[in-house]
Amino acid sequence: MNNKYIEVKGGKSLEGKIKISGAKNSALVLMATSILAKGQINLFNVPQIRDVAIMSKILTSMGMYITSNEDKLEINIKSILHQPQEVFTNLFHSLRASFFCIGPILARLGSAKIPLPGGCSIGSRPIDEHISALEKLGVQFKFKNNYLIAEVINPKKRLIGTIIKFNCKSVGATKTLIMAACLAKGRTILKNSSQEPEIVDLANILNKMGAKVKGAGTECITIEGVESLGGCDYTVMPDRIEAGTYLIAAAMTRSKITFSSIEPKHLKEVINKLEMCGCKFEYSDKYLTIIPNQILNSVDITTLPYPGFPTDLQAPFMALMTTANGVSTIKETVFENRMHHVKELNKMGAQISLKDNTAKVVGVKKLKASSVIGFDLRGTAALAIAGLYANGKSIIQGLEHLERGYEDFALKLQQIGAEIRHKKQN
């Protein structure tokens, strides 16, 4: 067990403003695009989180030169680009997004040797969809000693564009194939593509680098291969999952909170569910304010690929539903192992019953402060949110998960009046 934890003294209303950081799920992939560039990539609005630090080390091991200044990253090649050094294998194991490097590496170098990735224990998240699609571009794969070894079979070591239909909507595979196809010979058409805003963000930076990507945000994406890509300046989109987490925290504590650097159109389904609960919203050019009712109604959710309700907000929303009036059903359809938080929320006085990947939540009037454990990034955030509502002092183990994906989690909540601290056991 990691000796770092979160201490929360809950039971109070909050008030103020929160600025949303750059998107974790976008920034990591945008960093991987630098492998494709002959020139410098300057990224702005990059969240200062552990996953970004790990990705920086992986790129550095490939010959990149990276400098960081607050929310800006400058990424450039300081020597001839090469495969990731094997001494950094443990970094790949700790970061699921490390696998996004395989597409750019194959497009740029013609071969790749990638350790199998890691991340949160929320399900298998297989890489089969990535592999089968890359095979259609002309890649041959084999597994050896926990490494994936890939080789472009074209004698000129260049990927060849083709038509690819994904078997399922895979965000990761869609991103991987867009990056790989940018330097492929000819046209690549991706059908049944994922439609997440982070994919649009990826297409936008690639087009700024000189790529020809059309249709991002729809189920059909077309990429015309080009000979090379250059550098550019680019600002990472706001983090819709961080925004959703804090919106739910505001609803949980029945607090009026205003948000800046937020993109409401990326949160339509989340806002819709919160409105159904009894929350009101005020919009302006630069701000979004949530005004929750003191009594919230239970609402059912089913997680789905975008534009459906995001799986990354399932745990926080379940925490909210433990305090709502009535009974709600929460169904997880994206990952098969994403209900670790149920047992921990029940320790805090919640009434949740679980069958397979469907939770029945009976709202209660009060939660009790407790000592609980977060087993993954979003589950830990959900427990912290529950702690904000519960009377008394809660201890949440799992800070190492939270630091992977939230920039200044405790600080941002402190600024609106929460009594929350990151602590370390002696």
Side-chain angles (χ1 to χ4, degrees):
M1 180 71 64
N2 192 288
N3 63 354
K4 294 196 295 184
Y5 63 93
I6 306 161
E7 181 183 281
V8 186
K9 293 180 181 178
K12 61 183 293 187
S13 182
L14 311 175
E15 186 177 4
K17 295 181 179 179
I18 292 179
K19 182 178 184 293
I20 299 304
S21 298
K24 162 192 179 286
N25 290 336
S26 188
L28 296 171
V29 181
L30 302 192
M31 290 173 71
T33 65
S34 62
I35 299 169
L36 296 166
K38 292 182 177 179
Q40 182 165 304
I41 302 292
N42 296 318
L43 292 178
F44 300 88
N45 200 33
V46 179
Q48 297 178 63
I49 54 175
R50 189 160 63 89
D51 277 8
V52 166
I54 293 172
M55 182 63 93
S56 293
K57 290 179 181 178
I58 289 171
L59 294 176
T60 300
S61 82
M62 297 178 60
M64 299 290 189
Y65 181 72
I66 300 178
T67 57
S68 176
N69 182 13
E70 295 183 347
D71 70 346
K72 179 184 177 182
L73 279 184
E74 297 178 359
I75 311 175
N76 208 335
I77 299 172
K78 66 179 179 181
S79 62
I80 298 173
L81 192 67
H82 51 74
Q83 299 288 342
Q85 295 178 19
E86 292 189 15
V87 294
F88 286 89
T89 297
N90 63 319
L91 296 177
F92 280 83
H93 290 323
S94 66
L95 180 63
R96 184 73 192 180
S98 62
F99 196 73
F100 289 126
C101 294
I102 193 170
I105 291 173
L106 286 169
R108 188 75 186 274
L109 302 179
S111 64
K113 184 180 179 183
I114 299 287
L116 296 180
C120 281
S121 299
I122 58 173
S124 59
R125 301 201 277 187
I127 57 175
D128 300 5
E129 202 68 22
H130 301 248
I131 291 173
S132 62
L134 286 169
E135 284 176 336
K136 292 181 174 68
L137 289 183
V139 182
Q140 199 169 51
F141 290 93
K142 64 180 179 179
F143 291 91
K144 186 177 181 181
N145 299 328
N146 289 320
Y147 276 83
L148 181 64
I149 300 171
E151 194 81 29
V152 178
I153 56 180
N154 180 345
K156 294 184 178 180
K157 297 300 177 184
R158 190 176 183 188
L159 299 168
I160 305 297
T162 188
I163 297 174
I164 297 168
K165 184 176 182 180
F166 295 113
N167 294 313
C168 62
K169 285 187 178 293
S170 167
V171 179
T174 301
K175 291 175 179 177
T176 295
L177 268 293
I178 289 174
M179 288 187 285
C182 281
L183 296 183
K185 183 176 175 60
R187 176 183 295 173
T188 300
I189 298 175
L190 305 178
K191 297 184 177 182
N192 197 31
S193 298
S194 291
Q195 298 168 256
E196 272 69 8
E198 292 81 4
I199 290 170
V200 177
D201 216 29
L202 172 62
N204 287 343
I205 189 174
L206 288 168
N207 286 340
K208 215 171 178 187
M209 292 162 64
K212 296 180 179 179
V213 183
K214 294 181 179 179
T218 74
E219 294 183 331
C220 185
I221 300 173
T222 302
I223 305 104
E224 297 284 352
V226 297
E227 293 293 331
S228 64
L229 296 175
C232 73
D233 293 351
Y234 193 79
T235 300
V236 180
M237 62 174 272
D239 195 320
R240 62 191 176 97
I241 304 303
E242 183 198 44
T245 301
Y246 291 133
L247 283 171
I248 292 169
M252 186 84 177
T253 56
R254 287 29 174 199
S255 304
K256 179 181 177 180
I257 305 295
T258 297
F259 297 87
S260 62
S261 300
I262 191 171
E263 187 50 79
K265 69 180 181 182
H266 294 164
L267 293 158
K268 284 183 179 179
E269 185 61 15
V270 177
I271 290 172
N272 176 51
K273 293 296 184 182
L274 288 171
E275 286 178 330
M276 292 171 66
C277 288
C279 297
K280 296 179 181 179
F281 291 86
E282 293 178 353
Y283 299 85
S284 67
D285 290 342
K286 296 182 180 180
Y287 300 100
L288 172 67
T289 300
I290 181 172
I291 309 167
N293 285 337
Q294 291 304 304
I295 297 176
L296 297 180
N297 302 313
S298 293
V299 174
D300 298 338
I301 64 164
T302 299
T303 63
L304 291 167
Y306 188 85
F309 193 93
T311 177
D312 280 348
L313 291 177
Q314 175 256 110
F317 198 84
M318 187 185 297
L320 176 63
M321 289 298 94
T322 65
T323 70
N325 184 31
V327 180
S328 59
T329 300
I330 296 179
K331 186 175 183 181
E332 175 61 53
T333 69
V334 179
F335 293 119
E336 75 278 8
N337 193 25
R338 203 166 202 177
M339 293 288 189
H340 295 301
H341 47 278
V342 169
K343 181 180 177 181
E344 304 305 304
L345 286 170
N346 283 340
K347 288 181 184 177
M348 302 180 76
Q351 292 185 19
I352 309 170
S353 56
L354 183 62
K355 183 178 181 181
D356 298 324
N357 278 329
T358 300
K360 180 182 177 182
V361 185
V362 180
V364 297
K365 291 185 177 180
K366 293 182 179 180
L367 293 178
K368 61 183 181 182
S370 185
S371 180
V372 291
I373 301 172
F375 294 95
D376 58 68
L377 171 57
R378 308 304 176 182
T380 305
L383 296 174
I385 289 170
L388 291 173
Y389 182 82
N391 287 319
K393 183 171 71 175
S394 293
I395 301 296
I396 298 104
Q397 302 280 354
L399 178 55
E400 70 277 11
H401 298 301
L402 200 69
E403 289 176 337
R404 285 189 45 239
Y406 291 93
E407 180 180 45
D408 297 331
F409 183 83
L411 179 61
K412 289 186 178 184
L413 291 170
Q414 288 168 13
Q415 290 172 345
I416 58 171
E419 293 188 49
I420 179 171
R421 298 286 186 275
H422 290 182
K423 305 197 79 172
K424 188 172 184 178
Q425 292 172 342
N426 295 326

